[in-house]
Amino acid sequence: MNIILTHEQADFDAIAGLLGTSLIQGSALPVLPRKMNRNVRSFLSLHGSELPFVEARDLSAGVELELVTLVDTQSLVTLKGFTRKTRVQVIDHHMEKGTLDPEWSVRCEQVGAVTTLLVEAIQESTRRLTTTQSTLLLLGIYEDTGSLSYASTTSRDIRAAAYLLEQGASLSIAINYLNPPLSEEQRLVNDRLLEKAETHLIHGLRIVIAATSALEISEEVSSIAHKMRDLLEPDGLIIIVATEEGYRLVLRSTSDQVNVALIATHFNGGGHERAAAALVHRPSGAGADKDAEELERIKKELLRILPSMIQQPITVRQIMSRKPRLIPPSLSAAEASKLMQKYGYEGFPVVENGRVSGLLTRRSVDRSLAHKLDLPASSLMEAGSVVVSPEDTLDHLQEVMTETGWGQVPVFDPDKNEITGIVTRTDLLKVLSTRQPRKRVHHLASQLDGSLPVEQVALLKTIADQATKLGMAAYVVGGFVRDLILGRPVTDFDIVVEGDAICLTQVLVDKFGGRMVYHNRFGTAKWYLDTNSMALQAIYTTIKNPVLPTLPASLDLITARTEFYDHPTALPTVERSSIKLDLHRRDFTINTMAIRLDGQHYGELLDHYGGYNDLKKGVIRVLHSLSFIDDPTRAIRAIRFEQRFDFKIEERTFDLMLEAAGQLKSITGERIRHELDLLFFEERVSRMLNRLSETGLLSSIHPALGWDPAHSENISQLLADTPSAEWELPERMWGHPLCRVLGYTFWLMNLTEVGLRSVIRRLHIPANIAEVIQQSRSLSANIKDLVGKAPSTICARLDDINLAAIRCVYYHNQDPAEQALINDYILHLRKIEPGIDGHDLLTMGIPTGPHYRFILDELKGAWLDGKISSREQETIVLADLVRKYTSPTLSD
């Protein structure tokens, strides 16, 4: 026999879960619990005859259970007929408990209601539902998601509800059973709880706790909690009721900062973030005094744990932009308009003598200029001294914005007696639109420490300590953070400073040695480390056997800055700014994260633009719609990241990329080549070239550029294989990495002669690399003519060709006979040289001249073709050649 069970004091989600599982399993019996909420009992009293439920007493005695399915619970009660052979499966929407039997089959998914999981399975089976069945299932979803309004509600819950309505679920029936009025018994308990309710302010949140004894109650307590929550409107509500079964805790939340499921687990209960429950054991024979004592004990335990379990609300300090741009009352509308266009702001606070006197909006400026009135800010601003403090909550900020209509509010720090930041409506909306904003905060200290050598970690912390002493915040940013989260190898890193990076670097040089090179315009500095410095070595006294060579030769320290583009495709103008604006200038959200290094913030992840979520979803997304207009080469980068990580370019980003593709024509060859250079360090270079070609980006750079997918495997193999020593190819050629020389050569060698010359000019390809490409192109077309020819003919053709060009032809043509020819040349023929050289000819008294080359070439050819096999034969042939190429007088 197969049965389906759920928890006691069952709500609609639990009972709907029984029904849904029964409809899927078919023969399994859905067993009603002994206790159900009053609204559930009321529904079943009218509609139960149409449903397949049975009661425990109706089960056949003595029959072994083959399968027990637990729905909306992970607790198994003692059952008759349960044997060691009985299988158990769990279907739940709460977090899986770590204490479950490993033999059980467990399916726990984070949705708003367990009914949703079952409705999805029913939908796949294309089974038709009756009105009663679909209405009960709808009640299960509605009750556990607050009619689809709780933060734990997912899109899956909404789709499931829509499906049930399509199946005939009746909203008019369902509404009668949601939030029913309290019974007389419940109302009396409700009144006692309201009398004893205590409000506690924890992290700025109102938490109401009420406790009473109600041994007489036979109804569920959850309905009472629901009514109290609606009446008192707290951020969190916890009621504790002494009943015959035990001390029942019912918890409700209206705030993302109060996760009542987490609180309930402390008392071995459970639930979800907005609604949870727990049952604490009641000693047998406990009387009124004992109950009062236990209720007080539970209250004290709650007050002890709540500060650590309730998240501190997000404050203005966490979302504001530092170092705000403020304007004086005398600034003209025309000047204000220029600033708005330059920085993209919708308004500026107007400040006089350190105090806010108003807000100048873009609308006011535009209207003034439209009327040809270049009025000062004092005449156009919305007057008022509106500010918030760094420690104000977002609720307070929202009230201020609602009451004043200001979309940009200055942040006044009373401790410093100055305006230290600005917070905008966009900043607020970004947080409010994320249902659980705190979940975006991650601490990566352990990953950071575990991914770098201990010597580098110590160096980072030393730099951060010096930054802290100077009142600066220090961060590692961008690709380093991205790769750290992805678990990819992390090597070099840059440090961004909110403050003056040049000043910080000078302090580091003074204290730890080395030297500095800096650029005032960009606020950047490079610290060249001196590993012989005793002060630097002192950093590592706590490290056993430190390996100083693991330290980088230099470190880049960068002042946080923002960028402006005077026109599309222009190089940016930079200004010092906050870390938030510094991250905003970057290309894609996955590169906008930073890890803070200083003090107690060590390891904190800053993620203002959703990079962490996009990284987890595998999405490449730009930060704003003009990103590719500002820098069209980002399109090449987008393809590179997409293929490297096997991600997907987000749909809107892809459209923007294609719209801006034509701008690539305006970019200099050097800038484009800088992006293309990076392709040849990638394992998936062929996929990148193919994607660049199919999107039309290559042809946007130059009409002749493209990629033949047939060569994908060949170029990958070329760049992956390390040349053997016989090839005598260095790691760098003319200052360029070998992979770059080989990559460009292989890619472009198929172009026509005219097309190749044009592409070389367009990309400003260095002359040495251009020559290798041209040699490779020519050899690829003619090498077949060398097959079967004499070794001397082969060498005469190949000796003047760069070995990089020959290697590209080897991988490109993939003809066995041609590859055998090249192998023979590399391994044998090119090593054959005559025993005679120019010094010998000079010693013989032969005057120098062009005939030296002729004599030595023919001598080598004779060795290659087997006409010479010994030194004696070489002497004879040499004499003949001397006579052939010198005057009769000399030969005599």
Side-chain angles (χ1 to χ4, degrees):
M1 180 169 60
N2 299 340
I3 63 172
I4 311 165
L5 302 176
T6 191
H7 56 82
E8 291 297 317
Q9 210 62 62
D11 56 9
F12 271 118
D13 191 33
I15 301 305
L18 289 179
L19 173 63
T21 308
S22 171
L23 293 174
I24 294 166
Q25 294 186 356
S27 61
L29 298 175
V31 182
L32 290 172
R34 290 182 304 107
K35 292 190 175 183
M36 295 176 284
N37 289 351
R38 183 163 55 89
N39 56 345
V40 176
R41 294 200 310 272
S42 177
F43 179 88
L44 293 180
S45 68
L46 285 179
H47 304 283
S49 61
E50 303 173 49
L51 300 167
F53 300 123
V54 299
E55 296 188 14
R57 63 173 178 265
D58 298 328
L59 297 177
S60 301
V63 178
E64 287 190 2
L65 298 176
E66 296 180 11
L67 173 66
V68 176
T69 302
L70 302 177
V71 182
D72 202 34
T73 182
Q74 299 175 39
S75 300
L76 179 65
V77 297
T78 304
L79 295 168
K80 292 181 179 180
F82 191 90
T83 70
R84 282 186 291 183
K85 294 182 180 179
T86 303
R87 294 178 292 114
V88 178
Q89 75 172 22
V90 174
I91 304 173
D92 199 3
H93 69 123
H94 303 114
M95 187 177 298
E96 181 180 342
K97 295 180 179 178
T99 56
L100 298 184
D101 190 323
E103 297 296 322
W104 290 8
S105 171
V106 180
R107 180 190 178 193
C108 292
E109 297 186 31
Q110 294 292 307
V111 290
V114 73
T115 305
T116 294
L117 302 176
L118 302 162
V119 170
E120 289 175 341
I122 292 170
Q123 190 171 3
E124 289 179 4
S125 70
T126 67
R127 176 182 185 131
R128 290 293 303 175
L129 299 173
T130 67
T131 296
T132 299
Q133 290 171 341
S134 56
T135 301
L136 175 55
L137 293 169
L138 184 68
L139 279 165
I141 295 175
Y142 267 34
E143 188 173 67
D144 245 34
T145 63
S147 299
L148 307 178
S149 68
Y150 289 167
S152 56
T153 305
T154 69
S155 58
R156 295 169 66 182
D157 300 300
I158 297 171
R159 285 194 293 268
Y163 169 75
L164 293 171
L165 290 172
E166 291 172 353
Q167 290 288 300
S170 171
L171 281 173
S172 60
I173 294 175
I175 200 68
N176 293 326
Y177 298 96
L178 293 171
N179 305 325
L182 299 180
S183 67
E184 182 62 22
E185 183 182 70
Q186 290 172 320
R187 189 180 60 77
L188 292 172
V189 176
N190 178 72
D191 290 345
R192 292 206 300 271
L193 285 167
L194 286 173
E195 283 180 20
K196 298 181 178 182
E198 302 172 358
T199 300
H200 300 270
L201 202 62
I202 301 176
H203 300 326
L205 300 173
R206 291 177 57 249
I207 308 298
V208 173
I209 301 177
T212 191
S213 178
L215 301 180
E216 75 280 4
I217 195 167
S218 58
E219 308 274 4
E220 78 279 359
V221 181
S222 58
S223 296
I224 301 173
H226 187 87
K227 296 296 182 184
M228 289 182 67
R229 182 200 65 191
D230 290 348
L231 175 66
L232 302 175
E233 297 184 345
D235 296 297
L237 169 71
I238 305 172
I239 63 173
I240 316 159
V241 180
T243 68
E244 292 290 350
E245 294 81 14
Y247 304 106
R248 191 169 295 280
L249 280 74
V250 181
L251 306 91
R252 295 292 184 265
S253 167
T254 61
S255 169
D256 289 333
Q257 277 71 54
V258 185
N259 181 345
V260 291
L262 180 65
I263 300 168
T265 57
H266 184 78
F267 298 94
N268 297 316
H272 48 79
E273 294 164 354
R274 294 298 177 100
L279 186 66
V280 177
H281 173 70
R282 181 172 182 259
S284 59
D289 290 343
K290 182 63 176 176
D291 284 341
E293 180 184 325
E294 285 298 300
L295 290 173
E296 188 62 26
R297 183 189 65 80
I298 294 171
K299 277 197 331 185
K300 288 181 178 178
E301 179 64 8
L302 279 167
L303 292 173
R304 185 185 71 81
I305 66 172
L306 285 177
S308 63
M309 290 194 167
I310 294 177
Q311 297 175 348
Q312 295 191 22
I314 297 177
T315 63
V316 168
R317 184 186 300 278
Q318 293 171 266
I319 68 169
M320 74 181 190
S321 296
R322 291 169 173 77
K323 298 180 181 177
R325 186 160 294 279
L326 311 173
I327 62 173
S330 58
L331 190 76
S332 69
E335 289 300 317
S337 178
K338 290 178 182 177
L339 289 176
M340 288 173 175
Q341 289 178 350
K342 183 175 183 178
Y343 294 98
Y345 296 161
E346 291 298 313
F348 290 104
V350 182
V351 176
E352 187 173 18
N353 299 324
R355 292 290 180 265
V356 176
S357 57
L359 177 72
L360 182 65
T361 65
R362 182 186 290 271
R363 183 170 181 269
S364 298
V365 170
D366 288 346
R367 292 181 65 183
S368 174
L369 296 179
H371 292 294
K372 303 187 185 308
L373 298 172
D374 192 10
L375 299 173
S378 57
S379 301
L380 299 172
M381 69 185 186
E382 297 175 17
S385 183
V386 179
V387 295
V388 292
S389 77
E391 304 312 318
D392 282 339
T393 66
L394 298 194
D395 287 340
H396 175 71
L397 172 63
Q398 190 171 5
E399 288 176 11
V400 170
M401 288 185 169
T402 302
E403 291 173 3
T404 65
W406 285 28
Q408 300 83 25
V409 180
V411 183
F412 181 80
D413 190 334
D415 295 334
K416 298 180 178 179
N417 196 34
E418 64 180 10
I419 296 168
T420 58
I422 191 166
V423 60
T424 69
R425 187 181 288 113
T426 301
D427 295 328
L428 179 62
L429 288 174
K430 281 181 180 178
V431 178
L432 295 182
S433 64
T434 304
R435 286 303 191 97
Q436 294 164 312
R438 296 291 293 181
K439 286 191 174 180
R440 295 186 299 164
V441 178
H442 302 271
H443 295 271
L444 304 178
S446 58
Q447 292 98 311
L448 188 60
D449 291 347
S451 299
L452 293 172
V454 290
E455 295 82 4
Q456 292 190 20
V457 172
L459 181 63
L460 278 179
K461 291 181 177 179
T462 298
I463 295 171
D465 288 344
Q466 295 302 313
T468 302
K469 291 176 181 177
L470 294 172
M472 303 179 190
Y475 307 84
V476 284
V477 298
F480 177 93
V481 182
R482 176 199 68 218
D483 290 344
L484 184 72
I485 295 171
L486 288 175
R488 296 171 68 92
V490 290
T491 50
D492 57 329
F493 47 81
D494 296 335
I495 297 174
V496 172
V497 178
E498 277 190 310
D500 188 339
I502 297 174
C503 173
L504 173 60
T505 308
Q506 186 61 62
V507 169
L508 293 170
V509 170
D510 293 343
K511 192 172 183 64
F512 301 105
R515 62 186 180 89
M516 173 180 70
V517 175
Y518 63 93
H519 297 281
N520 267 324
R521 178 187 171 194
F522 295 105
T524 61
K526 185 182 288 287
W527 178 25
Y528 289 92
L529 277 65
D530 177 7
T531 54
N532 295 319
S533 165
M534 297 298 292
L536 185 63
Q537 292 177 11
I539 296 172
Y540 308 106
T541 53
T542 59
I543 300 174
K544 186 177 181 180
N545 300 322
V547 184
L548 295 187
T550 61
L551 293 177
S554 63
L555 276 178
D556 289 317
L557 289 89
I558 302 161
T559 301
R561 62 187 193 265
T562 188
E563 294 179 345
F564 309 98
Y565 293 84
D566 293 332
H567 58 81
T569 76
L571 290 172
T573 301
V574 299
E575 287 186 8
R576 186 183 298 186
S577 72
S578 65
I579 185 66
K580 183 177 179 181
L581 290 178
D582 184 276
L583 296 173
H584 187 266
R585 69 186 176 84
R586 297 172 190 271
D587 46 17
F588 309 109
T589 58
I590 61 171
N591 294 329
T592 60
M593 293 173 286
I595 297 175
R596 193 162 175 178
L597 300 175
D598 52 297
Q600 64 182 4
H601 300 289
Y602 181 78
E604 277 184 12
L605 178 70
L606 269 72
D607 180 22
H608 293 292
Y609 306 106
Y612 187 87
N613 286 336
D614 281 346
L615 204 60
K616 293 301 182 183
K617 292 176 184 176
V619 171
I620 306 294
R621 187 194 311 272
V622 289
L623 276 75
H624 55 86
S625 59
L626 294 179
S627 182
F628 292 115
I629 298 296
D630 288 342
D631 183 1
T633 64
R634 287 174 175 167
I636 303 171
R637 220 172 307 154
I639 298 295
R640 181 159 56 86
F641 289 143
E642 177 194 47
Q643 297 304 314
R644 179 200 292 176
F645 301 124
D646 203 18
F647 282 8
K648 182 179 180 181
I649 298 176
E650 179 258 342
E651 185 176 352
R652 172 63 174 158
T653 298
F654 189 78
D655 291 342
L656 293 171
M657 181 181 76
L658 296 187
E659 288 173 8
Q663 298 292 330
L664 286 167
K665 296 185 179 69
S666 305
I667 302 295
T668 64
E670 289 88 347
R671 283 180 64 190
I672 290 179
R673 200 182 72 248
H674 174 72
E675 288 295 334
L676 295 176
D677 285 350
L678 300 174
L679 298 179
F680 304 113
F681 294 96
E682 302 280 354
E683 290 182 9
R684 297 178 171 181
V685 57
S686 60
R687 289 174 52 172
M688 295 172 187
L689 287 170
N690 191 56
R691 184 81 160 131
L692 286 167
S693 180
E694 67 182 18
T695 55
L697 292 176
L698 290 183
S699 58
S700 294
I701 296 169
H702 190 283
L705 281 178
W707 174 249
D708 184 354
H711 290 301
S712 293
E713 186 176 341
N714 303 4
I715 192 172
S716 298
Q717 188 178 358
L718 167 67
L719 298 178
D721 291 351
T722 302
S724 62
E726 288 81 4
W727 279 90
E728 297 181 11
L729 283 169
E731 292 184 359
R732 300 185 70 84
M733 299 180 69
W734 315 295
H736 303 283
L738 178 62
C739 64
R740 186 182 301 164
V741 177
L742 294 175
Y744 276 116
T745 300
F746 191 97
W747 175 27
L748 303 177
M749 61 188 286
N750 280 334
L751 298 181
T752 65
E753 184 177 352
V754 173
L756 178 57
R757 284 202 302 268
S758 182
V759 166
I760 288 171
R761 286 195 301 270
R762 172 70 181 95
L763 298 182
H764 289 220
I765 292 177
N768 290 324
I769 299 178
E771 184 178 358
V772 173
I773 300 171
Q774 290 165 333
Q775 288 179 348
S776 187
R777 177 184 173 279
S778 174
L779 179 62
S780 176
N782 301 319
I783 191 171
K784 61 181 180 294
D785 298 335
L786 293 177
V787 176
K789 292 294 193 294
S792 58
T793 304
I794 294 172
C795 288
R797 177 71 173 92
L798 300 185
D799 281 349
D800 293 330
I801 296 178
N802 191 286
L803 291 175
I806 296 174
R807 187 168 177 83
C808 287
V809 172
Y810 179 92
Y811 281 88
H812 179 275
N813 287 22
Q814 292 288 310
D815 180 275
E818 295 172 8
Q819 288 183 324
L821 183 151
I822 291 174
N823 271 330
D824 189 38
Y825 173 76
I826 295 296
L827 299 177
H828 305 292
L829 298 182
R830 64 186 295 264
K831 296 179 180 180
I832 296 175
E833 294 291 342
I836 301 296
D837 60 19
H839 292 292
D840 296 319
L841 296 180
L842 191 60
T843 302
M844 293 170 61
I846 302 173
T848 58
H851 47 271
Y852 269 42
R853 175 67 183 273
F854 302 143
I855 292 172
L856 295 175
D857 283 351
E858 289 204 32
L859 203 59
K860 179 179 177 180
W863 276 100
L864 288 166
D865 296 339
K867 296 176 182 177
I868 299 175
S869 58
S870 66
R871 294 303 176 192
E872 291 78 9
Q873 290 178 334
E874 184 180 49
T875 302
I876 296 171
V877 173
L878 174 60
D880 292 338
L881 291 173
V882 169
R883 283 191 294 270
K884 176 180 178 181
Y885 287 109
T886 59
S887 66
T889 312
L890 185 60
S891 62
D892 289 340

